[in-house]
């Protein structure tokens, strides 16, 4: 998949395209329905497929105090879009200048002049242009004027509309299974394994501690069953995806203050992961974070946590 970061990088001889526009944070099942519609329409038109997205999130620029936590990193977002099968993605830097463009100026500059769109596919709730004044109806008017078709994809969901906001809500509640139902896959946090207090190794449960700059929204504090993926290893390497008990929190039993994500790979004390890039995927929340009166009490509960993790993961094929 071609990845363009500026309009100047788009080939001048680019043929007709079917384009979609959105933040695509999380690339959840609703987003995928839009992307699949792009692929279908492009196949019928003999056109290439392009997603246009933004970085940073527009709210982070216009109202930073209200900026939502990113569900995924930009790199993971692009990987997920590529996995759907699109030909190209344009990542536009969202600036105050871009926010001032009228819907017509934006469509003419990006969709018509740069991308040669023969069709545009969007969700019903799409907004764009200065003060979000453009919507699907605006797009249809501009399409008639500039020679491209507009297709809208209806909202989808199971009881609630699938959205990035719903994913954030469920992760904030620790409902990682509910978030996965919207995403269509387990939620992932990625980071570098760094040294911690080495307390887990002393207790017989060595953990991989993710760096503080880990990417992806961190769920509510608690203990989770999930997977640790060593991203540098080949997909068919049996050591790539490993079952793990994952802890999110401050280690209150030991008076910790720094919030951490750490993962114990079940039944493994031989791994040296320091400096490795890993992905931690959350399958099910087992319990909230608790403060214990003694190390012995903590160890007894950790033993139960590991047993429950093994039970939860035993019948699941990792994503």
């Amino acid at each position: 998949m071609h990845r363009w970061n500026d309009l100047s990088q788009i080939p001048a001889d680019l043929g007709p395209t079917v384009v979609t526009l959105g933040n695509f944070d999380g690339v959840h099942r609703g987003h995928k329905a839009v992307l699949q519609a792009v692929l279908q329409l492009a196949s019928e038109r003999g056109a290439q497929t392009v997603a246009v997205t933004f970085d940073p999130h527009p709210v982070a620029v216009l109202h930073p105090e209200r900026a939502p936590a990113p569900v995924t990193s930009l790199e993971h977002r692009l990987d997920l879009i590529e996995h759907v099968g699109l030909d190209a993605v344009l990542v536009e830097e969202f600036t105050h200048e871009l926010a001032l463009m009228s819907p017509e100026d934006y469509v003419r500059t990006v969709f018509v002049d740069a991308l040669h769109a023969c069709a545009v596919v969007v969700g019903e709730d799409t907004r764009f242009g200065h003060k979000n004044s453009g919507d699907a109806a605006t797009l249809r008017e501009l399409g008639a004027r500039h020679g491209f078709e507009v297709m809208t994809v209806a909202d989808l969901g199971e009881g609630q509309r699938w959205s990035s906001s719903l994913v954030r809500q469920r992760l904030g509640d620790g409902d990682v299974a509910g978030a996965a139902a919207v995403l269509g896959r387990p939620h992932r946090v990625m980071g570098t394994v760094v040294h911690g207090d080495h307390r887990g190794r002393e207790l017989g449960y060595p953990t991989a501690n993710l760096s503080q700059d880990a990417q992806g929204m961190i769920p509510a504090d608690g203990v989770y069953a999930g997977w640790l993926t060593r991203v540098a290893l080949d997909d068919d390497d049996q050591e790539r995806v490993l079952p793990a008990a994952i802890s999110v929190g401050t280690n209150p039993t030991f008076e910790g203050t720094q919030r951490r994500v750490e993962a114990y790979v079940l039944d493994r004390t031989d791994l040296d992961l320091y400096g490795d890039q890993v992905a931690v995927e959350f399958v099910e929340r087992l319990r909230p974070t608790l403060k214990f009166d003694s190390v012995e009490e903590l160890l007894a509960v950790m033993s139960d946590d590991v047993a429950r993790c093994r039970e939860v993961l035993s019948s699941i094929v990792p994503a």
Side-chain angles (χ1 to χ4, degrees):
M1 183 179 74
H2 298 290
R3 300 184 182 189
W4 304 315
N5 295 307
D6 188 83
L7 296 181
S8 64
Q9 297 177 353
I10 300 172
D13 60 352
L14 181 69
T17 64
V18 176
V19 179
T20 186
L21 172 74
N23 289 310
F24 299 109
D25 187 19
V27 193
H28 55 67
R29 293 167 69 186
H31 293 145
K32 289 176 185 175
V34 173
L35 297 174
Q36 291 290 351
V38 170
L39 290 172
Q40 178 62 40
L41 189 57
S43 176
E44 297 169 2
R45 294 293 194 90
Q48 296 187 70
T49 52
V50 182
V52 179
T53 191
F54 304 103
D55 185 59
H57 194 289
V59 178
V61 175
L62 301 176
H63 305 285
E65 73 284 356
R66 303 206 310 258
V71 176
T72 56
S73 67
L74 173 62
E75 189 64 28
H76 191 202
R77 190 192 335 167
L78 299 185
D79 286 344
L80 290 166
I81 292 172
E82 180 175 13
H83 186 71
V84 175
L86 268 68
D87 295 309
V89 63
L90 169 64
V91 181
E92 291 199 277
E93 180 185 4
F94 194 88
T95 63
H96 287 281
E97 291 73 23
L98 183 63
L100 291 173
M101 290 184 73
S102 70
E104 179 160 15
D105 285 346
Y106 184 81
V107 164
R108 186 178 62 252
T109 301
V110 179
F111 293 175
V112 179
D113 294 344
L115 294 175
H116 310 151
C118 65
V120 176
V121 179
V122 293
E124 289 183 335
D125 64 340
T126 291
R127 308 291 300 207
F128 67 101
H130 183 46
K131 294 186 177 179
N132 278 337
S133 56
D135 57 14
T138 310
L139 264 182
R140 290 191 185 93
E141 294 173 6
L142 294 172
R145 193 176 308 161
H146 293 285
F148 60 82
E149 178 186 352
V150 175
M151 173 190 289
T152 58
V153 177
D155 289 343
L156 298 172
E158 296 165 345
Q160 290 178 275
R161 171 181 168 271
W162 291 328
S163 68
S164 302
S165 297
L166 180 58
V167 174
R168 294 188 194 99
Q169 174 191 320
R170 291 183 175 178
L171 292 175
D173 293 339
D175 181 12
V176 294
V182 180
L183 293 169
R185 65 183 188 279
H187 175 61
R188 167 180 289 193
V189 174
M190 296 186 65
T192 304
V193 177
V194 298
H195 288 276
D197 300 321
H198 300 281
R199 190 176 290 116
R201 184 168 297 278
E202 295 170 3
L203 297 175
Y205 296 96
T207 59
N209 294 269
L210 269 60
S211 54
Q212 290 295 300
D213 60 355
Q215 304 274 303
M217 182 175 172
I218 297 174
D221 290 1
V223 176
Y224 299 84
W227 308 98
L228 181 143
T229 299
R230 305 165 72 180
V231 297
L233 298 185
D234 293 337
D235 288 349
D236 58 356
D237 193 317
Q238 292 186 348
E239 292 285 289
R240 175 179 168 85
V241 182
L242 303 169
I246 306 159
S247 172
V248 177
T250 60
N251 291 323
T253 300
F254 299 99
E255 307 297 335
T257 57
Q258 187 179 64
R259 193 165 184 251
R260 297 175 176 175
V261 177
E262 48 189 319
Y264 163 65
V265 176
L266 303 190
D267 307 314
R268 297 291 295 270
T269 60
D270 59 322
L271 296 172
D272 182 1
L273 302 176
Y274 294 119
D276 288 0
Q277 284 284 319
V278 300
V280 173
E281 294 185 336
F282 298 82
V283 173
E284 183 176 314
R285 192 184 196 210
L286 304 180
R287 62 173 175 84
T289 297
L290 302 171
K291 182 175 182 178
F292 298 98
D293 294 329
S294 68
V295 172
E296 291 74 21
E297 185 181 357
L298 169 63
L299 285 171
V301 174
M302 290 174 68
S303 178
D304 290 341
D305 291 339
V306 169
R308 290 186 62 197
C309 276
R310 190 177 290 109
E311 180 182 354
V312 168
L313 301 175
S314 61
S315 60
I316 298 175
V317 176

